[in-house]
Amino acid sequence: MKEMSTCGIGQNRVLPEAQENNVKKLLPRPLSRVNGWSPPLHSFQAISWTTYLAMSIVTFGIFIPFLPTSWKYAANAVSFVLVMGGVFMFHLVVHLIAITIDPADTNVRLKKDYLEPVPTFDRSKHAHVIQNQYCHLCEVTVSKKAKHCSSCNKCVSGFDHHCKWLNNCVGKRNYWFFFFSVASAAFGLLGVLIILLYIFIQYFVNPNGLRMDPLYKEISSENTWLLFLSLSPVPVKTPVVLSIAAMVLLLAIASFVLLGHLLVFHFYLISKKLSTFDYMMQTRFQKSPRPAEKKELPPRKKGNVSQEKSNNLTWPTSPTRPRVEPQRLLLSTLSPQSNECFMAPAPKTPPQ
């Protein structure tokens, strides 16, 4: 029979700690991720794709039709629209390649079965995941520059960092695709900023310079603007156009600052022949506190009166107790089986 308390509740319950341990034991072991399309997907991916689509729609559908003919057909018949379209398309291609490539080490891609769960690492048996170029989790021999990524659950060759925006590790196999993805995004945002600055300046200087499309001849009101001229013109009022332009301008500035900082940082790493992981380790090592050096005591000066007086002092002898010399005494309390002896310091209290 179960023991019942006064409230009628059974007392043979499982402790909360035991319940948590049982839940952990029942959880399935994680699988190795192949690339950025492998689950679980990251929320930063949705943000990056939403930003790219929004920038593409407003740039080519709203702002570029406001440009004058001289901007659309520049020197050598190179269209500004064609340049921007090429930059946006190039970014899309290299971004997709950086996500799709499996950056794992060669032996991991050839020998590891991605459908098998990753074994649990036992720190009582191994101090590190990778020892002597052998990964105890991937269970294969890896290259010297390989690191085991806990997010992807695999060893990455030439590991640089794990990118949340790609939802994939950046390593030797996809680093340059990642680099050109960042560079093309920064260059595209710079073009968007130039277009928006021109539109704002032209609006306050000469608004009619933005209404060069033949469709504006049918519109009498200067407070009406047409969006998406190349597809299906949508008439809107001036505050709508200015609000969209202001929001896109703020988003473009913030994105350009972040991507520009990242691009400059990777230019620095390339010049120093470092990876992001190497840079982080060096920074952590420099910030870590070093053990304090032992300070040497200053040498005692000769002829110190107080020291000489203390050396000349003698303890008074007692008639009942023998005089104890201020030196170390040999302990005789050791067991007869011990072959070691210890020297004890002299007593600090003077004898009586």
Side-chain angles (χ1 to χ4, degrees):
M1 296 178 62
K2 298 180 180 179
E3 295 183 4
M4 303 295 291
S5 64
T6 55
C7 297
I9 303 176
Q11 296 184 2
N12 56 346
R13 297 183 185 179
V14 181
L15 296 177
E17 293 82 2
Q19 291 179 352
E20 292 180 0
N21 293 333
N22 291 334
V23 171
K24 291 181 179 180
K25 291 180 180 179
L26 295 176
L27 290 177
R29 290 182 296 177
L31 299 175
S32 297
R33 301 176 65 253
V34 179
N35 50 32
W37 306 112
S38 301
L41 300 178
H42 202 279
S43 58
F44 282 11
Q45 283 181 294
I47 296 175
S48 63
W49 283 102
T50 303
T51 304
Y52 176 81
L53 291 175
M55 285 292 181
S56 301
I57 292 173
V58 297
T59 300
F60 294 97
I62 299 177
F63 301 135
I64 284 182
F66 289 149
L67 298 179
T69 307
S70 59
W71 279 55
K72 296 179 182 179
Y73 299 97
N76 299 326
V78 177
S79 172
F80 184 79
V81 179
L82 183 62
V83 173
M84 290 296 295
V87 171
F88 272 68
M89 186 59 64
F90 178 76
H91 170 74
L92 177 63
V93 172
V94 293
H95 188 86
L96 291 175
I97 295 176
I99 294 176
T100 308
I101 285 181
D102 182 5
D105 191 83
T106 304
N107 288 337
V108 175
R109 289 183 284 110
L110 295 178
K111 299 178 181 180
K112 183 177 176 59
D113 187 4
Y114 284 91
L115 298 178
E116 292 183 0
V118 179
T120 304
F121 181 68
D122 189 358
R123 294 193 177 274
S124 62
K125 297 180 180 180
H126 310 289
H128 303 283
V129 177
I130 300 178
Q131 289 179 320
N132 298 325
Q133 295 183 227
Y134 181 83
C135 179
H136 298 288
L137 293 180
C138 296
E139 298 178 339
V140 294
T141 303
V142 295
S143 59
K144 292 182 179 180
K145 291 290 185 178
K147 302 296 179 184
H148 190 91
C149 177
S150 58
S151 300
C152 294
N153 298 315
K154 64 183 179 183
C155 286
V156 177
S157 177
F159 179 80
D160 188 84
H161 70 284
H162 182 85
C163 181
K164 296 180 180 179
W165 301 96
L166 299 177
N167 196 28
N168 195 15
C169 274
V170 177
K172 181 180 179 180
R173 300 191 69 215
N174 63 343
Y175 175 80
W176 287 110
F177 294 103
F178 160 79
F179 177 82
F180 286 115
S181 174
V182 175
S184 59
F187 190 80
L189 289 170
L190 180 61
V192 173
L193 289 175
I194 294 173
I195 294 173
L196 290 174
L197 290 178
Y198 169 81
I199 291 175
F200 275 108
I201 294 174
Q202 188 69 18
Y203 174 77
F204 291 104
V205 174
N206 182 19
N208 293 327
L210 302 175
R211 306 167 67 92
M212 302 301 294
D213 193 274
L215 293 177
Y216 281 102
K217 296 180 180 180
E218 302 175 0
I219 299 176
S220 58
S221 175
E222 295 183 354
N223 195 30
T224 302
W225 298 84
L226 298 177
L227 307 183
F228 305 105
L229 285 171
S230 57
L231 297 177
S232 178
V234 178
V236 294
K237 299 299 181 180
T238 301
V240 176
V241 179
L242 294 179
S243 300
I244 296 175
M247 289 188 295
V248 175
L249 180 63
L250 294 177
L251 179 60
I253 292 175
S255 302
F256 180 75
V257 170
L258 296 176
L259 286 174
H261 178 269
L262 181 61
L263 183 62
V264 172
F265 173 67
H266 278 274
F267 270 122
Y268 169 80
L269 294 179
I270 293 172
S271 64
K272 296 295 183 179
K273 297 181 180 180
L274 294 173
S275 66
T276 305
F277 180 80
D278 296 334
Y279 176 82
M280 297 297 292
M281 290 297 101
Q282 288 185 4
T283 306
R284 184 178 301 177
F285 177 76
Q286 293 175 357
K287 291 183 179 180
S288 61
R290 298 180 180 179
E293 298 180 357
K294 295 182 179 179
K295 297 182 178 180
E296 296 182 359
L297 296 176
R300 296 180 180 179
K301 296 181 180 179
K302 295 182 179 180
N304 193 339
V305 178
S306 60
Q307 183 68 21
E308 291 178 355
K309 288 183 179 181
S310 62
N311 292 337
N312 295 331
L313 292 177
T314 56
W315 299 103
T317 57
S318 176
T320 57
R321 295 185 180 181
R323 183 172 179 268
V324 181
E325 298 293 339
Q327 59 183 1
R328 294 184 177 182
L329 304 178
L330 179 64
L331 295 180
S332 60
T333 59
L334 297 174
S335 61
Q337 299 177 354
S338 175
N339 295 327
E340 299 179 357
C341 60
F342 299 89
M343 301 299 291
K348 296 181 180 180
T349 57
Q352 299 178 356

